[in-house]
């Protein structure tokens, strides 16, 4: 499965990150009884599954996958999600935001955004599956609230994150203690950067959804981002509609995920593009993070990913 590296320094960095992530998976497997891997089909959670397979090989990954489907996801990503789960013969639990809307547990937002609605179904799923840990693909370089997270991050009985209850993590000693009803979010990729993820994708020859690479797409301009029409809506009167060569740096909910103009059609070209970029992928392509400076932290306090 592993392939050759391109240089000594690159191999050293990626090997260290891989070793740390594998250690975290095994540590969590020893500390918790019912973990689950949060899996959306995006690049980070795909790398997460790849690392989990390595951590327990030749035994199967001892955790199911969990995806909160907003109903506004890109169809290429949903197809890829299902293909990965089938390839590794992993149980995939899918909870659908639409079900919560249909029975009145959630109300559609006036702005049509589904991303903020994911938290309630996520926490309900964690409770109903009786999960005491949930692996996530969050990285500290993505956004300032995620930079504050510990690798083992405690969530209270309501699934909420309380920054003041952050625990020290000395060396590679993680604290998984929690009370009944609480759970821990585990972030094996905390110390990775976007560029590390792409270099690892290249080294391990990991398949990703096609929309991560440049392609022609009709998009419209809203609040400084190129958005795609879909079940979540389309261009409004007066908005600039064009066909451009774009790709996605993140593949989250389509109602708030923007494409970036790019000609990067291969992993190597994406790595070069990421290296030259002065914007994080969330800053460049996630409208919900731009609502306020504390948008992500506010969502995390409520129990978001």
């Amino acid at each position: 499965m592993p392939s050759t590296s391109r240089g000594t320094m690159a191999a050293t960095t990626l090997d260290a990150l891989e070793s740390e992530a594998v250690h975290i998976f095994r540590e969590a497997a020893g500390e918790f009884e019912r973990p689950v891997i949060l899996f959306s089909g995006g690049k980070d959670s795909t790398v997460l599954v790849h690392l989990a397979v390595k951590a327990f090989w030749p035994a199967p990954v001892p955790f199911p996958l969990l995806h909160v489907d907003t109903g506004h996801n890109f169809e290429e990503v949903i197809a890829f999600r299902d293909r990965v789960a089938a390839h590794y013969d992993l149980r995939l639990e899918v909870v659908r935001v639409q079900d919560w809307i249909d029975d009145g547990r959630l109300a559609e937002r006036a702005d049509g955004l589904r991303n903020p609605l994911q938290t309630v179904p996520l926490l309900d799923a964690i409770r109903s599956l009786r999960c005491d840990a949930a692996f996530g693909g969050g990285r500290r370089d993505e956004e300032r609230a995620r930079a504050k997270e510990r690798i083992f991050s405690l969530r209270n009985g309501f699934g909420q994150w309380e920054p003041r209850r952050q625990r020290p993590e000395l060396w590679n000693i993680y604290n998984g203690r929690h009370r009944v009803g609480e759970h821990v979010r585990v972030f094996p990729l905390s110390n990775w950067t976007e560029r590390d993820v792409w270099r690892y994708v290249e080294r391990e020859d990991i398949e990703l959804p096609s929309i991560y690479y440049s392609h022609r797409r009709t998009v419209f301009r809203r609040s400084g981002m190129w958005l795609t029409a879909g079940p979540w809506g389309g261009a409004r009167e007066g908005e600039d509609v064009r066909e451009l060569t774009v790709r996605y740096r993140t593949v989250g909910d389509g109602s708030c995920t923007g494409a970036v103009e790019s000609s990067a059609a291969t992993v190597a070209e994406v790595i070069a593009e990421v290296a030259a970029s002065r914007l994080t992928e969330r800053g460049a392509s996630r409208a919900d993070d731009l609502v306020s400076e504390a948008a992500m932290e506010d969502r995390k306090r409520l129990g978001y990913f």
Side-chain angles (χ1 to χ4, degrees):
M1 190 179 301
S3 58
T4 56
S5 61
R6 291 196 157 194
T8 302
M9 183 62 72
T12 300
T13 302
L14 291 182
D15 286 347
L17 291 170
E18 178 190 70
S19 178
E20 179 188 58
V22 165
H23 169 72
I24 291 166
F25 267 112
R26 292 172 178 168
E27 183 75 10
E31 287 203 44
F32 301 105
E33 295 182 356
R34 298 176 68 87
V36 66
I37 298 176
L38 303 177
F39 179 62
S40 65
K43 67 182 187 308
D44 299 310
S45 61
T46 300
V47 166
L48 207 57
V49 170
H50 183 86
L51 289 163
V53 171
K54 280 200 168 189
F56 302 105
W57 185 265
V61 175
F63 324 118
L65 307 180
L66 171 64
H67 181 220
V68 180
D69 183 351
T70 66
H72 287 177
N73 296 100
F74 296 97
E75 59 183 27
E76 298 94 332
V77 180
I78 294 299
F80 177 79
R81 176 202 69 184
D82 294 343
R83 198 162 66 246
V84 169
H87 175 75
Y88 290 115
D89 195 22
L90 296 174
R91 180 162 62 92
L92 173 64
E93 300 279 352
V94 179
V95 291
R96 295 177 174 80
V97 170
Q98 188 64 53
D99 293 340
W100 267 256
I101 294 173
D102 289 344
D103 64 17
R105 286 176 287 174
L106 285 175
E108 196 83 78
R109 291 165 55 97
D111 59 12
L113 298 182
R114 288 273 182 94
N115 206 42
L117 300 183
Q118 295 183 77
T119 301
V120 173
L122 169 65
L123 297 181
D124 280 0
I126 287 174
R127 276 192 291 271
S128 64
L129 294 170
R130 295 185 291 119
C131 300
D132 52 2
F135 294 95
R139 309 186 323 265
R140 287 176 172 141
D141 80 318
E142 288 183 80
E143 196 277 337
R144 66 188 69 185
R146 286 191 163 161
K148 298 178 183 177
E149 287 266 26
R150 299 290 191 261
I151 290 175
F152 276 30
S153 185
L154 182 67
R155 296 296 190 273
N156 66 21
F158 299 99
Q160 298 167 331
W161 178 55
E162 299 178 60
R164 291 182 180 179
R165 293 184 68 192
Q166 294 274 293
R167 298 154 162 177
E169 288 183 336
L170 304 178
W171 303 288
N172 59 351
I173 300 173
Y174 307 115
N175 185 347
R177 286 190 300 173
H178 60 283
R179 300 187 185 94
V180 174
E182 296 178 336
H183 72 275
V184 174
R185 302 285 174 88
V186 181
F187 299 106
L189 304 184
S190 279
N191 294 325
W192 296 50
T193 65
E194 182 186 13
R195 191 180 177 198
D196 292 329
V197 170
W198 277 104
R199 287 163 62 198
Y200 192 71
V201 166
E202 179 183 55
R203 190 183 86 167
E204 302 290 309
D205 194 20
I206 298 173
E207 181 188 358
L208 293 178
S210 59
I211 64 174
Y212 274 113
Y213 305 101
S214 69
H215 56 285
R216 297 292 290 178
R217 181 179 288 263
T218 300
V219 291
F220 60 92
R221 194 74 166 170
R222 180 178 298 164
S223 301
M225 288 189 179
W226 290 113
L227 300 175
T228 300
W232 49 87
R236 299 167 186 158
E237 187 175 352
E239 289 182 327
D240 185 8
V241 180
R242 301 185 190 183
E243 183 177 310
L244 297 174
T245 299
V246 299
R247 74 175 191 88
Y248 285 86
R249 291 179 68 178
T250 66
V251 294
D253 186 87
S255 59
C256 63
T257 302
V260 295
E261 292 184 69
S262 170
S263 60
T266 67
V267 176
E269 290 170 352
V270 171
I271 291 171
E273 184 180 271
V274 168
S277 176
R278 307 307 298 170
L279 284 175
T280 67
E281 70 259 46
R282 295 198 72 93
S285 62
R286 297 301 286 268
D288 54 338
D289 286 350
L290 305 180
V291 173
S292 72
E293 289 194 356
M296 171 65 87
E297 182 159 337
D298 290 342
R299 293 202 304 276
K300 289 181 75 67
R301 284 175 182 268
L302 296 175
Y304 186 74
F305 303 93

